[in-house]
Amino acid sequence: MSSTFVGMPSFPKAASRAVGNAQLRHNLHKATHTIRDKRAAAVAEQPDWASLRVAGAALKNRVLRHLDLYLEQLEEAVQRAGGHVHWAADAAEANRIVLSLVRATGETEVVKVKSMATQEIGLNEALAEEGITAYETDLAELIVQLGDDLPSHILVPAIHRNRAEIREIFQRAMASWGRPAPADLTDDPRALAEAARLHLRERFLSAKVGISGANFAVAETGTLVVLESEGNGRMCLTLPETLISVVGIEKLVPTWQDLEVFMQLLPRSSTGERMNPYTSMWTGATEGQDFHLILLDNGRTKALADTVGRQALRCIRCSACLNVCPVYERAGGHAYGSVYPGPIGAILTPQLRGFGSELDESLPYASTLCGACYDVCPVAINIPEVLLHLRAKIGASGVHRAEKLAMGAARRVLSSPGLLAASQRTAGRFRRLTPRRLPGPLSAWTDTRDIPAPPPQSFRDWWASREER
């Protein structure tokens, strides 16, 4: 598989292939249900969970309403602490800034903390084109990188792989990236983790440049926060002489006190834990390190202008919505053609990228609208509402003209008792001619169901005949 999402097919086409992969469905079912059950238990322990959820949504809404003020406050705080702040309007500008900063160090290798923002802008590929190798240090991201694969989950990027597949990847590819895997490597999780630890240790100790994202940025103090479970982030953030952080402009929280709400919401919603194993916080340049913060827009201000769709920017990347989504569980993350898969990706990706491709036009339809995603979202993003909102925008743009014409005709018939009665009588007379399958692009609907034959007499006519008797 290519290491970029560019050129991915529309969601229905990609999902159709994915659901035929029995191993993938098994891996996803086992992993998502395990995480889902852990989250439910952790949330049940918190008596004020509903209040925390409301507080989290309110804080994020306040940030979005006053984003310009908080961004300026963050910039001033970071600069006071000795850091450097850069602004990137899009992915190309962000990549150019990172590339220039790495070149200034003279290094050709960097280590990375798991960062969805850098995946969003295709940073690894941009660096590789200029002869700079980026080494992923999160275990799941390492698996994806060694396997020349793509991430398929927000929290567990390699969720689509089982441990036997991981062992094969390590044995096949690890040597070409550094320390090889042991010749007698088994698929025992502890053995796999140890092989990754030894492989990455060399990178941590030799790298002079580290690249990260951030889960949160505190506007009041200029503090950046990274939450992770393995300790690799701590190594990447502290050992390199130069640290570059690429952070979406929506990741702000106003004050240090506000951070406390999200430190309760995120671990429980993501990993089902009471608190995060490794939480790293830094303010500006520390211990002589050269620190650069790149604030990334890349479509976020465009999404902010949409009064309904902007709630997607509240997302704290916990992945709870993916783990309860029946569509994601069967189709997997690759079908969404974005670093943001699942329900949140279905509403966030089209807003960041626009509806310029068949894939992005299809994403708002990648849902059953069951509402499970809304129920578990720790910041109360009404994902079904945004999905319907985006579908309406696509329809209004004339993309689906046939659907628009069909709905217009249905409205006219259903709003006229005379036309409805005439249509029902006509369908009843010609019921023997009802086809088993619909023609053309509508045939997919009848792949798994038959068209029901119209009754010989409509309910209206039957009722009228009763009254006559």
Side-chain angles (χ1 to χ4, degrees):
M1 177 177 287
S2 169
S3 57
T4 175
F5 286 104
V6 175
M8 289 284 288
S10 65
F11 181 83
K13 294 176 183 176
S16 178
R17 290 200 295 266
V19 296
N21 186 332
Q23 184 63 60
L24 173 67
R25 294 202 314 273
H26 172 77
N27 295 348
L28 290 170
H29 177 84
K30 181 178 180 181
T32 56
H33 280 255
T34 299
I35 301 171
R36 181 194 306 183
D37 293 343
K38 286 184 63 180
R39 177 203 170 276
V43 167
E45 294 178 349
Q46 195 74 8
D48 62 342
W49 181 258
S51 298
L52 282 170
R53 190 172 183 244
V54 171
L59 285 168
K60 279 293 187 178
N61 283 340
R62 191 169 83 193
V63 167
L64 297 177
R65 283 195 304 270
H66 306 290
L67 186 57
D68 54 340
L69 299 177
Y70 288 126
L71 284 170
E72 291 179 356
Q73 186 180 9
L74 176 70
E75 180 183 34
E76 293 172 0
V78 170
Q79 290 175 340
R80 279 198 310 270
H84 308 278
V85 178
H86 311 263
W87 299 83
D90 54 27
E93 186 173 9
N95 287 332
R96 283 197 301 269
I97 295 170
V98 175
L99 182 59
S100 66
L101 293 174
V102 176
R103 278 176 174 164
T105 67
E107 297 295 320
T108 58
E109 296 181 351
V110 301
V111 289
K112 287 183 65 210
V113 188
K114 178 173 177 268
S115 166
M116 302 197 77
T118 60
Q119 292 170 350
E120 175 189 329
I121 64 176
L123 178 61
N124 287 12
E125 292 76 22
L127 292 175
E129 289 178 1
E130 300 298 326
I132 299 170
T133 304
Y135 294 95
E136 298 290 349
T137 63
D138 174 84
L139 176 56
E141 289 288 355
L142 175 66
I143 295 165
V144 169
Q145 185 174 55
L146 294 179
D148 191 25
D149 203 348
L150 291 169
S152 63
H153 192 274
I154 289 176
L155 177 67
V156 192
I159 196 171
H160 55 290
R161 298 290 192 182
N162 60 34
R163 61 189 191 183
E165 292 173 309
I166 295 169
R167 172 183 173 274
E168 292 176 4
I169 290 170
F170 279 9
Q171 288 190 318
R172 181 181 70 248
M174 195 171 265
S176 62
W177 286 82
R179 179 176 178 135
D184 58 349
L185 181 65
T186 69
D187 64 1
D188 179 75
R190 288 173 294 185
L192 295 173
E194 178 67 6
R197 187 187 71 81
L198 294 173
H199 175 82
L200 291 171
R201 179 68 56 164
E202 295 180 356
R203 297 298 169 199
F204 291 138
L205 296 178
S206 62
K208 303 296 183 182
V209 180
I211 297 177
S212 82
N215 295 95
F216 305 103
V218 183
E220 177 185 48
T221 61
T223 303
L224 269 65
V225 185
V226 164
L227 282 71
E228 41 100 11
S229 300
E230 301 166 11
N232 63 295
R234 185 72 53 82
M235 303 286 278
C236 288
L237 296 168
T238 57
L239 292 179
E241 297 172 0
T242 300
L243 175 61
I244 304 168
S245 297
V246 182
V247 181
I249 57 175
E250 83 282 13
K251 291 297 186 73
L252 275 69
V253 296
T255 69
W256 184 263
Q257 185 176 1
D258 296 330
L259 183 62
E260 178 263 345
V261 173
F262 298 102
M263 295 300 288
Q264 296 184 73
L265 288 171
L266 184 54
R268 285 176 168 82
S269 289
S270 58
T271 57
E273 296 170 297
R274 298 184 183 95
M275 64 182 293
N276 200 67
Y278 290 91
T279 300
S280 300
M281 304 181 184
W282 69 101
T283 305
T286 59
E287 300 180 358
Q289 191 179 63
D290 188 21
F291 172 61
H292 296 266
L293 169 61
I294 300 171
L295 292 170
L296 175 70
D297 185 337
N298 204 37
R300 286 161 175 78
T301 53
K302 181 179 66 175
L304 185 63
D306 188 325
T307 55
V308 177
R310 70 173 57 155
Q311 58 184 296
L313 297 176
R314 296 205 302 252
C315 177
I316 58 175
R317 310 291 193 266
C318 70
S319 77
C321 62
L322 281 70
N323 299 326
V324 299
C325 178
V327 176
Y328 174 86
E329 183 183 323
R330 288 156 181 81
H334 292 153
Y336 294 83
S338 167
V339 67
Y340 305 111
I344 187 60
I347 64 172
L348 183 60
T349 300
Q351 294 192 83
L352 296 181
R353 297 197 306 212
F355 298 115
S357 70
E358 183 184 10
L359 170 62
D360 293 323
E361 290 168 3
S362 70
L363 287 178
Y365 298 88
S367 170
T368 64
L369 300 178
C370 68
C373 50
Y374 179 33
D375 293 339
V376 300
C377 178
V379 287
I381 301 172
N382 193 337
I383 294 178
E385 178 187 36
V386 182
L387 286 167
L388 291 174
H389 172 68
L390 294 178
R391 292 180 188 184
K393 291 180 71 172
I394 294 172
S397 68
V399 172
H400 301 293
R401 291 186 179 88
E403 180 183 358
K404 190 174 183 179
L405 289 171
M407 291 298 103
R411 180 177 62 182
R412 185 178 179 189
V413 171
L414 295 173
S415 62
S416 170
L419 282 175
L420 178 60
S423 300
Q424 290 172 333
R425 293 190 188 106
T426 300
R429 291 192 184 102
F430 294 97
R431 61 192 305 269
R432 296 178 182 276
L433 302 179
T434 303
R436 293 180 62 86
R437 290 177 54 83
L438 290 171
L442 301 176
S443 61
W445 193 86
T446 51
D447 284 344
T448 55
R449 55 178 70 81
D450 293 332
I451 300 176
Q457 185 180 37
S458 71
F459 176 81
R460 287 168 177 263
D461 289 344
W462 173 81
W463 186 261
S465 66
R466 284 185 75 255
E467 289 186 329
E468 291 173 0
R469 292 199 300 269

